[in-house]
Amino acid sequence: QVQLVESGGGLVQSGGSLRLSCAASGATLRDFAIGWFRQAPGKEREWISCISTPDSITAYADSVKGRVTIFRDNTKRTVYLQMDNLKPEDTAFYHCASSPPYGRSCPGTANRYTYWGQGTQVTVSS
């Protein structure tokens, strides 16, 4: 079992940047693919990015492609989500989640993920 804790959310102006962190404990991070999801009020949860293990192959939703970078530091047991050029529509509650290894890629659907963090709020003002 792995415990995940997100941090790094906050209030930022449109065009600004944030780096979210997903810190893992209780298990070896390299044993898991990690995904990031977000949910805005009144909307369904949206997968936005993931990173595989052990090759760190990444994938991004079209809504964030080119503005978001996911990367992992297994020595620090942390996966990061660097978000640049943020827009008001990026305002949401962001969660990370872990998945068992998924071939050479990582899952793009929530039902493949087993453990979830508590989330961190990102608010982008216009």
Side-chain angles (χ1 to χ4, degrees), residues 47-116:
W47 169 85
I48 58 173
S49 182
C50 64
I51 186 166
S52 74
T53 190
D55 296 328
S56 293
I57 294 171
T58 59
Y60 301 93
D62 288 342
S63 59
V64 300
K65 195 172 294 183
R67 302 187 297 117
V68 165
T69 303
I70 187 171
F71 57 101
R72 64 194 300 157
D73 186 338
N74 288 337
T75 63
K76 294 183 178 180
R77 296 187 174 186
T78 302
V79 171
Y80 302 93
L81 189 72
Q82 176 68 39
M83 302 191 297
D84 300 313
N85 191 22
L86 284 162
K87 304 175 181 180
E89 51 263 42
D90 293 317
T91 295
F93 208 65
Y94 285 69
H95 294 267
C96 65
S98 66
S99 163
Y102 192 70
R104 295 195 69 244
S105 184
C106 50
T109 56
N111 62 358
R112 294 289 186 177
Y113 290 85
T114 309
Y115 299 105
W116 294 75

